[in-house]
Amino acid sequence: MKLHFHGAATLTFLLLLCSSSTTHSTQPPFSCDEYSSNPQTKSLPFCQTTLPIHKRVEDLVSRLTLDEKISQLVNSAPAIPRLGIPAYEWWSEALHGVSGYGLGVSFNGRIRSATSFPQVILSASTFDSHLWYRIAQAKGMTFWAPNINIFRDPRWGRGHETPGEDPLVGGKYAVSYVRGIQGDKYEGGQSINLLQASACCKHFTAYDLDNWKGISRLGFDAQVTQQDLADTYQPPFRSCIEEGKASGIMCAYNRVNGVPNCADYNLLTKTARGQWGFHGYITSDCDAVSIIHDNHKYARLPEDAVADVLKAGMDVNCGSYLKNYTKSAIDQKKLPESAIDRALHNLFAVRMRLGLFNGNPKKQLFGNIGPDQVCTQEHQQLALEAARNGIVLLKNSAKLLPLSKSHTSSLAVIGPNADNAYALLGNYEGPPCKSLEIFKVLQNYVTNTLYHKGCNFVNCTFAAIEDAVNTAKQADYVVLVMGLDQSQETEDHDRVELTLPGQQESLITAVAMASKRPVVLVLVCGGPVDVSFAKNDPKIGSILWAGYPGEAGGTALAEILFGEHNPGGKLPVTWYPKDFISVPMTDMRMRADPSSGYPGRTYRFYKGPKVFDFGYGLTYTTYSYHFISSTPNTIQLNGVMHTSTQAGNVSSSSRYLSVSKIGIDICERLKFSTHVGVENMGDMAGKHPVLLFIRHNHPNNGSRPMKQLVGFESVSLKARERAEIEFVLNPCQHLSTANQDGLMVIEEGYRYLVVEDKEYPINIVL
């Protein structure tokens, strides 16, 4: 059953089911209702809402034939008319707004568009978890999102789908997103037996290569150390499950240390379900089961691949492999029927938690939401707010920006991304409520606004440099809108260079040289680009990174250019120099190896030159910071265990406590607060994130992070206004590091709390 999108962006999946115009008349409209194709089923135990969900699921599964059971193991699960069960489509997408990708939603019904928020990487640059939560609330449906993998390599084509390179940011984004989608409060506290909607975190795990120099994600074996798994790749997924209470996980295409993720019992069952307490369904990425046999050659026969994934703990296959080979796997004694029953328990439990077996959804919560609540002014304003607060000011020599509307008589807008509203959306996009090009928005600010494309396409294989220069010479100010688009970075397409494509750099330099005043360079792109030439060119006065800012991106950018909004975003990824391409994407190590010249990755471990740092971003005002003296200088941990030998190593060279042996209760008691004072020293109001890092006194030859983000909070301040921010830190989480065995430990010695140029020492005493 293909579902047409007939409701608001806050509509739950259960309403989509009941309002679908494509449901065939012979199919059950919804379960457990007198109008079902078999109304007698309403009296069966699986329809009794007073019973616990696990009892209802047990009853339902016990009534299915083997063929019916197998039919439910794929994303397009067919109806079971004899039990009054309608068809169900698991595959929907809402990465940054309701998307037409997948089979769960289409826009060819009464609804033709929905609010398109900024791509995830730009939302992440706000470092505002409350904003992330509000965006997720505005999309509340059943979706495969978010992509919370770490943006480890700047060339990754899907990096812009993620919240960036930091595991804490990735985890907090996942928690905010999942709670917003599923109907939980921002602070948490949701019951696992109630879902407003269902969110699925992907791609589990160590997935950040798509197609690089012929090496495909479909056959890639990621070699990852236990240390890197523990402190980089796994923490966002753990947060998504433990704190976000996600109802779904998607296992990734790749292998990790030889084992395909979707066939890894240790990953799916022992770790996610056993250690992290996951209660929900696990889906494959699309056709990820087939590649276990076809690409990885991990399974000898298709039936072996089916047996591998179901025994590992996977529940539903995006694709048809389980439908085609599960029956023969059972016939060949490779798979017990109980493995199918286990998967069905997880799948039907989620559907019941969504209320899809409670009768007519129109009589339930949100039952009267209609098309008038799609593309609401509130949601479009939220998209604008996210774009405003995400755009990052990277350079502003001599305070070129903001421009004055009253003193700007003419403006030249040059570049292939200036007159292309679609390029602002990013991938996994839906048709936006509005479609506004940057050039056309800027025309509303300066009547005499000229435009020249500059390049034939974003790849800029041909640049009309002379014509662009002539256009620039006619204007008081010039705005160049350059960068990348989905032809340069997207799913199944990684970059091989970190510079601007084609002749873009030559075009920018020539226009800047010819212009009357220093020019403004706007970069529309997801991944980092080496723009050192522009950073060092005095004729390029300002640089703005706009990410893929969504439907309101043109408006947000214009407001920033003309001083109606003070930019406050900060980079969620490190911007590397172009020579970083000598590092193979296939090298999954995070930590630097000086002996081989390997520089490491991300701000935590990278030991090479940078174009721009993680967390970098300018504003039109100036902020000052200071630590308030109530923050403790010493953390006494020597009494938390009965003996130091129980806790960990007691050698003279390195003393530490094992976090797992300290225990959750003691870790909670060890929490402490640090207070940071912030003052807006300038004349313009602004909103910006305050980032709190921990720096180790000695990085221990690169094994420890050089610094680590441990907290962030977005703050709005009027001119000359002050505020105080409290960060609550848990030593077990924020002051620990991973050892080579992948164990989290708290080491003795000094740490430094860091906010911008201010530091505060804390001594850990064992």
Side-chain angles (χ1 to χ4, degrees), residues 194-493:
L194 176 65
L195 289 174
Q196 171 182 297
S198 174
C200 175
C201 289
K202 60 182 188 182
H203 308 80
F204 192 41
T205 188
Y207 167 48
D208 67 352
L209 177 149
D210 263 62
N211 194 331
W212 178 74
K213 295 186 176 181
I215 300 171
S216 169
R217 59 184 174 167
L218 303 184
F220 179 53
D221 184 9
Q223 296 296 309
V224 186
T225 67
Q226 293 303 308
Q227 192 173 29
D228 288 340
L229 277 172
D231 69 3
T232 298
Y233 296 105
Q234 297 290 64
F237 290 99
R238 182 169 187 167
S239 296
C240 182
I241 292 169
E242 289 187 336
E243 299 175 59
K245 306 297 182 186
S247 55
I249 305 172
M250 176 189 283
C251 49
Y253 288 117
N254 56 288
R255 283 175 284 164
V256 173
N257 299 329
V259 182
N261 283 309
C262 294
D264 192 338
Y265 178 84
N266 286 327
L267 181 69
L268 304 186
T269 297
K270 291 185 68 175
T271 300
R273 296 195 188 277
Q275 295 178 21
W276 300 345
F278 176 60
H279 297 279
Y281 70 93
I282 299 177
T283 176
S284 76
D285 206 337
C286 292
D287 295 321
V289 181
S290 65
I291 69 168
I292 292 173
H293 170 261
D294 298 343
N295 297 72
H296 290 301
K297 309 299 182 184
Y298 182 83
R300 188 174 63 88
L301 298 172
E303 290 80 6
D304 294 320
V306 167
D308 287 341
V309 297
L310 287 172
K311 288 179 179 179
M314 200 195 81
D315 303 309
V316 61
N317 168 212
C318 180
S320 58
Y321 221 64
L322 292 190
K323 180 177 69 175
N324 295 339
Y325 296 107
T326 300
K327 185 73 173 291
S328 55
I330 291 176
D331 292 341
Q332 295 173 24
K333 309 297 183 186
K334 296 179 182 291
L335 182 73
E337 189 172 347
S338 60
I340 300 174
D341 293 345
R342 177 207 55 76
L344 294 177
H345 275 74
N346 293 326
L347 296 173
F348 281 112
V350 168
R351 291 173 67 174
M352 287 185 180
R353 289 164 62 192
L354 285 167
L356 300 181
F357 285 78
N358 295 358
N360 189 343
K362 290 184 179 179
K363 298 178 181 179
Q364 299 175 35
L365 190 65
F366 308 114
N368 295 318
I369 291 178
D372 61 322
Q373 291 178 275
V374 178
C375 288
T376 64
Q377 188 59 41
E378 177 187 1
H379 291 162
Q380 293 186 61
Q381 189 65 26
L382 181 59
L384 176 58
E385 178 186 345
R388 283 172 179 156
N389 294 333
I391 292 173
V392 182
L393 180 62
L394 297 174
K395 179 183 180 180
N396 198 26
S397 300
K399 296 184 178 180
L400 173 64
L401 294 179
L403 302 176
S404 168
K405 284 188 286 186
S406 59
H407 291 87
T408 304
S409 60
S410 58
L411 184 69
V413 182
I414 297 171
N417 279 331
D419 198 31
N420 186 352
Y422 181 76
L424 306 182
L425 301 181
N427 69 350
Y428 281 97
E429 77 291 347
C433 305
K434 295 180 180 178
S435 186
L436 298 173
E437 296 83 358
I438 292 173
F439 161 62
K440 291 179 181 176
V441 175
L442 290 174
Q443 282 183 308
N444 296 327
Y445 285 78
V446 180
T447 303
N448 185 15
T449 296
L450 310 173
Y451 169 71
H452 194 282
K453 190 175 182 180
C455 296
N456 53 344
F457 302 105
V458 166
N459 63 6
C460 207
T461 54
F462 170 77
I465 294 178
E466 184 176 350
D467 291 342
V469 164
N470 289 335
T471 300
K473 287 179 177 179
Q474 300 175 51
D476 286 343
Y477 291 94
V478 176
V479 177
L480 288 143
V481 187
M482 313 299 287
L484 310 174
D485 66 5
Q486 299 307 297
S487 70
Q488 303 297 308
E489 52 175 355
T490 191
E491 184 171 1
D492 202 35
H493 182 76

Side-chain angles (χ1 to χ4, degrees), residues 14-30:
L14 59 94
L15 264 184
L16 282 174
L17 284 168
C18 75
S19 64
S20 170
S21 63
T22 58
T23 305
H24 196 275
S25 60
T26 62
Q27 299 295 323
F30 31 76

Side-chain angles (χ1 to χ4, degrees), residues 597-661:
Y598 179 69
R601 296 174 186 271
T602 79
Y603 78 94
R604 295 181 300 141
F605 301 107
Y606 174 64
K607 294 184 175 180
K610 303 169 188 175
V611 180
F612 293 108
D613 286 312
F614 171 90
Y616 179 80
L618 305 173
T619 75
Y620 294 155
T621 188
T622 303
Y623 298 97
S624 66
Y625 310 89
H626 67 278
F627 286 98
I628 296 172
S629 58
S630 60
T631 305
N633 290 107
T634 303
I635 306 291
Q636 295 279 352
L637 299 182
N638 52 350
V640 301
M641 304 296 290
H642 294 300
T643 66
S644 58
T645 56
Q646 286 179 298
N649 186 35
V650 293
S651 71
S652 58
S653 59
S654 177
R655 291 167 55 87
Y656 62 81
L657 294 174
S658 169
V659 170
S660 63
K661 290 183 178 180

Side-chain angles (χ1 to χ4, degrees), residues 106-165:
S106 66
F107 289 92
N108 53 9
R110 286 182 290 164
I111 299 300
R112 300 287 179 167
S113 60
T115 308
S116 182
F117 295 91
Q119 179 63 297
V120 178
I121 195 69
L122 190 72
S123 291
S125 65
T126 67
F127 288 86
D128 187 343
S129 56
H130 287 82
L131 177 65
W132 303 337
Y133 175 77
R134 290 163 57 208
I135 291 174
Q137 278 189 310
K139 296 183 294 191
M141 298 170 63
T142 302
F143 289 120
W144 293 0
N147 184 346
I148 59 171
N149 295 275
I150 296 301
F151 194 172
R152 177 192 59 98
D153 193 290
R155 293 160 289 186
W156 187 25
R158 302 188 73 175
H160 51 88
E161 298 179 29
T162 78
E165 70 182 40

